[in-house]
């Protein structure tokens, strides 16, 4: 009997030792791969930053740069996931519940196993994902030599001053798309050619106007065109020809709705008559059908991938401090990036709040509030993320009690742009989105105007929404049926 017990104990001890040795070996291998990935990412990031400071006219080089950027952000994403596993678990222990199964189909995480929001390390990428990302980076490095040589022959460009003034006022990414647009605008025209028409098509608030604005501020573009005009597409049919300046002109036209072919022909004939050779027209719209007026290949602007968006959000949230010194905050920021689902306006507002307060409990409270708004208020009730609801011009609900003065549902209408000098109805109170989130002010009992975002530099535009309080039984109606509540 004693011999049997001794044999069993020896076997168990042997298995425990084997398990510990295997665990230690696996952890050592993962740490070595993460260190290797960090080194490769530094090399690729250096090349990408150098490329973003150059004028690249070769379209094959632009395609290669796009591949480098995608590999870089995917590598940063994998590195973060493995680096912050323990802190994701801590978030789960801080009573932040995992998202419901319904959220899984809306998740932006690029791995099938990464389907929950909070802390569950079992849902995080495994070593196979790490190995795949590492091999992808090594392949990118191996094919980068010729790109670096050609890059050295490209002219340098100066970045606008606002890049250095405000961390949250620079244009993140989009260098490939920006360079494509600049290349088209600077192309020499054929003799007696008609004005080139470049359509730029993209989804709701993906940064179309921001991209065009940065293009128009480019030194080469300003020197190439004698005048740059911004025209409302809804009024092109009654545009005064006398307002058009003679010379090489760049006309930027934004279409919110589709346009009649006859109105476009009249407008285009006017531009062709007044402008000299080399004039160009840029069309900005969410409507793909207006691309039919283009004379060159359309530039399609997509939303940022999850990896790009998460990198941007953390860059804004941490500002001048190093996220490696605050891994617990970095884990919260990663989870918030999933919840925000690519919204650039919300990212700027939330990041500004986080950047001013590096307290873990404050960051966690922001995560809890957004989890409640996304899942409890909208996703579980309507089956849609609030960003998608607003993008489809429908109101969203905020049933979280932000203030004791307004315990009922807050119904937020789709935002609208308010230009400098314009003002919403002054009889209603104006509340900033940041104050609403932090609970630093009392919420009005009735209708008020929510200032979601306000630019710091000219033209000082605002993004505002009408908000009203409703009884909970009234707000049970789907927002699909309440398009004109306010």
């Amino acid at each position: 009997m004693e011999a049997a017990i001794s044999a069993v104990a020896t076997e168990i001890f042997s298995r425990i030792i084997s398990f510990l040795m295997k665990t230690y070996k696996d952890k050592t291998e993962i740490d070595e791969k993460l260190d290797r990935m960090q080194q490769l990412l530094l090399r690729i990031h250096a090349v990408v930053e150098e490329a973003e400071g150059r004028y690249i006219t070769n379209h094959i080089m632009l395609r290669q740069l796009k591949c480098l950027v995608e590999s870089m952000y995917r590598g940063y994403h994998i590195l973060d996931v493995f680096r912050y596993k323990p802190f994701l678990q801590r978030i789960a222990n801080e009573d932040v519940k995992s998202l419901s199964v319904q959220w899984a189909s809306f998740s932006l995480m690029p791995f099938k196993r990464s389907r929950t929001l909070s802390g569950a390390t079992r849902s995080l990428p495994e070593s196979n994902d790490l190995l795949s990302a590492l091999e992808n980076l090594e392949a990118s490095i191996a094919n980068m030599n010729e790109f670096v040589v050609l890059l050295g022959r490209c002219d340098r460009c100066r970045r606008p001053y606002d890049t250095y003034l405000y961390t949250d006022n620079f244009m993140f990414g989009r260098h490939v798309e920006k360079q494509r647009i600049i290349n088209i605008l600077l192309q020499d025209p054929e003799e007696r050619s008609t004005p080139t028409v470049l359509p730029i098509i993209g989804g709701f608030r993906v940064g179309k106007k921001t991209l065009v604005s940065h293009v128009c501020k480019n030194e080469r573009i300003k020197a190439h065109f004698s005048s740059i005009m911004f025209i409302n597409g809804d009024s092109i049919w009654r545009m005064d020809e006398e307002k058009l300046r003679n010379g090489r002109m760049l006309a930027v036209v934004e279409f919110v709705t589709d346009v009649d072919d006859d109105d476009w022909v009249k407008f285009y004939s006017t531009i062709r008559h007044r402008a000299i050779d080399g004039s160009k027209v840029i069309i900005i719209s969410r409507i793909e059908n207006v691309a039919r007026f283009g004379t060159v290949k359309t530039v399609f602007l997509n939303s940022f991938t999850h990896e790009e968006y998460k990198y941007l959000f953390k860059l804004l949230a941490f500002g001048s401090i190093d996220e490696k010194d605050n891994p617990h905050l970095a884990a919260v920021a990663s989870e918030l990036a999933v919840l925000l689902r690519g919204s650039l306006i919300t990212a700027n507002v939330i990041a500004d709040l986080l950047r001013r307060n590096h307290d873990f409990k404050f960051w966690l409270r922001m995560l809890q509030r957004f989890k409640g708004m996304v899942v409890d208020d909208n996703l579980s009730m309507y089956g849609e993320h609030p960003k998608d609801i607003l993008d489809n011009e429908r109101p969203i609900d905020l049933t979280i009690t932000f203030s004791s003065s307004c315990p009922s549902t807050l119904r937020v209408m789709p935002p609208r742009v308010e230009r400098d000098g314009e003002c919403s109805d002054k009889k209603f109170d104006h509340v900033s989105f940041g104050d609403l989130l932090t609970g630093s002010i009392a919420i009005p009992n009735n209708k008020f105007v929510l200032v979601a975002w306000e630019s710091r530099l000219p033209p000082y535009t605002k993004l505002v929404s009408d908000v009203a309080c409703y009884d909970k039984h009234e707000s049970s109606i789907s927002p699909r049926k309440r398009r004109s509540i306010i």
Side-chain angles (χ1 to χ4, degrees), residues 151-165:
L151 187 64
R153 301 178 181 178
C154 298
D155 295 336
R156 292 186 179 275
C157 56
R158 291 193 301 174
R159 295 190 177 187
Y161 72 96
D162 55 358
T163 299
Y164 307 98
L165 285 177

Side-chain angles (χ1 to χ4, degrees), residues 19-262:
F19 173 76
L20 293 176
M21 291 180 64
K22 184 178 184 302
T23 302
Y24 176 78
K25 181 180 179 181
D26 291 344
K27 185 179 184 305
T28 302
E29 290 179 351
I30 289 177
D31 289 342
E32 291 175 351
K33 291 176 181 177
L34 291 177
D35 290 340
R36 173 62 176 162
M37 177 174 287
Q38 179 72 58
Q39 296 170 4
L40 294 176
L41 285 171
L42 286 175
R43 293 179 62 185
I44 292 180
H45 204 153
V47 173
V48 169
E49 277 207 9
E50 182 65 23
E52 290 179 348
R54 304 271 185 164
Y55 286 107
I56 303 176
T57 57
N58 187 314
H59 70 281
I60 300 298
M61 287 183 66
L62 288 175
R63 287 173 56 185
Q64 191 170 0
L65 175 60
K66 190 173 184 65
C67 292
L68 281 176
V69 170
E70 291 173 352
S71 298
M72 181 182 72
Y73 289 122
R74 178 178 172 83
Y76 276 125
H77 170 73
I78 293 291
L79 190 65
D80 288 349
V81 168
F82 279 89
R83 181 187 292 161
Y84 303 135
K85 270 186 179 182
F87 302 99
L88 292 173
Q89 186 60 53
R90 180 185 173 185
I91 293 175
N93 295 336
E94 290 284 349
D95 202 26
V96 181
K97 300 178 182 178
S98 297
L99 291 179
S100 62
V101 176
Q102 188 179 18
W103 166 253
S105 61
F106 295 90
S107 176
L108 289 180
M109 301 293 281
F111 301 102
K112 292 183 179 180
R113 288 179 289 275
S114 304
R115 291 300 188 185
T116 59
L117 169 70
S118 301
T121 54
R122 58 180 170 79
S123 66
L124 298 176
E126 298 177 354
S127 57
N128 289 339
D129 300 308
L130 175 59
L131 180 60
S132 175
L134 186 59
E135 291 175 347
N136 187 33
L137 289 177
E138 289 174 339
S140 299
I141 290 287
N143 298 326
M144 201 169 59
N145 293 335
E146 294 83 0
F147 178 82
V148 173
V149 172
L150 294 173
L151 187 64
R153 301 178 181 178
C154 298
D155 295 336
R156 292 186 179 275
C157 56
R158 291 193 301 174
R159 295 190 177 187
Y161 72 96
D162 55 358
T163 299
Y164 307 98
L165 285 177
Y166 300 115
T167 303
D168 55 353
N169 201 60
F170 68 101
M171 186 180 70
F172 175 78
R174 306 299 192 197
H175 182 74
V176 173
E177 293 86 353
K178 178 182 176 182
Q179 192 60 62
R180 278 188 58 197
I181 296 172
I182 291 176
N183 292 343
I184 292 173
L185 296 181
L186 295 181
Q187 282 180 353
D188 293 328
E190 299 177 1
E191 292 187 10
R192 307 298 301 172
S193 65
T194 56
T196 299
V197 180
L198 169 63
I200 300 177
I201 308 297
F204 201 63
R205 297 192 187 94
V206 298
K208 300 182 294 296
K209 287 185 286 186
T210 301
L211 174 61
V212 173
S213 175
H214 278 75
V215 167
C216 293
K217 292 177 183 178
N218 182 271
E219 292 180 349
R220 292 190 174 187
I221 296 299
K222 290 192 294 185
H224 187 75
F225 295 98
S226 58
S227 64
I228 300 177
M229 298 185 60
F230 295 87
I231 302 170
N232 186 343
D234 294 336
S235 59
I236 62 170
W237 60 275
R238 52 184 172 85
M239 187 184 66
D240 186 0
E241 184 176 344
E242 297 301 323
K243 293 183 179 180
L244 295 178
R245 299 178 183 176
N246 291 318
R248 182 179 290 165
M249 177 195 315
L250 174 59
V252 181
V253 188
E254 180 183 4
F255 289 110
V256 179
T257 59
D258 203 353
V259 60
D260 185 77
D261 287 5
D262 293 337

Side-chain angles (χ1 to χ4, degrees), residues 281-462:
V281 178
I282 294 178
I283 293 177
I284 305 174
S285 183
R286 283 187 285 159
I287 305 169
E288 291 191 22
N289 194 37
V290 300
R292 68 186 185 275
F293 301 126
T295 61
V296 294
K297 188 175 181 181
T298 302
V299 174
F300 289 99
L301 210 61
N302 299 317
S303 299
F304 287 124
T305 64
H306 172 66
E307 296 92 336
E308 289 177 300
Y309 182 76
K310 186 179 76 169
Y311 185 92
L312 169 63
F313 180 71
K314 290 199 297 181
L315 181 67
L316 297 175
F318 282 97
S320 60
I321 71 171
D322 193 341
E323 67 171 85
K324 297 187 185 68
D325 298 331
N326 301 271
H328 53 299
L329 298 182
V332 176
S334 296
E335 301 292 72
L336 269 169
V338 178
L339 275 177
L340 299 182
R341 201 177 181 184
S343 172
L344 297 177
I345 296 296
T346 310
N348 275 281
V349 175
I350 303 305
D352 183 62
L353 296 175
L354 300 180
R355 193 165 58 247
R356 298 179 185 182
N357 188 343
H358 293 151
D359 180 64
F360 175 70
K361 292 183 179 179
F362 176 77
W363 285 45
L364 196 61
R365 186 162 68 251
M366 291 297 102
L367 176 61
Q368 290 171 326
R369 285 197 166 183
F370 266 92
K371 182 263 178 183
M373 183 189 73
V374 171
V375 183
D376 300 333
D377 294 352
N378 294 281
L379 191 60
S380 61
M381 184 175 296
Y382 307 122
E384 291 184 85
H385 191 282
K387 178 180 181 296
D388 296 331
I389 296 176
L390 290 176
D391 286 354
N392 290 319
E393 302 293 334
R394 293 182 279 116
I396 63 172
D397 286 346
L398 300 179
T399 57
I400 302 173
T401 305
F402 286 100
S403 171
S404 58
S405 64
C406 185
S408 55
T409 296
L410 296 179
R411 180 60 58 88
V412 182
M413 298 301 292
R416 65 181 184 277
V417 175
E418 200 172 80
R419 306 289 181 185
D420 186 24
E422 299 176 352
C423 185
S424 303
D425 197 333
K426 294 183 178 180
K427 68 181 180 181
F428 296 113
D429 294 325
H430 284 59
V431 177
S432 75
F433 188 37
D435 291 337
L436 179 68
L437 289 173
T438 57
S440 58
I441 62 171
I443 305 300
N445 291 324
N446 298 312
K447 179 180 176 181
F448 63 92
V449 177
L450 181 66
V451 181
W453 176 80
E454 183 175 1
S455 63
R456 294 184 176 182
L457 295 178
Y460 302 113
T461 56
K462 293 182 181 179

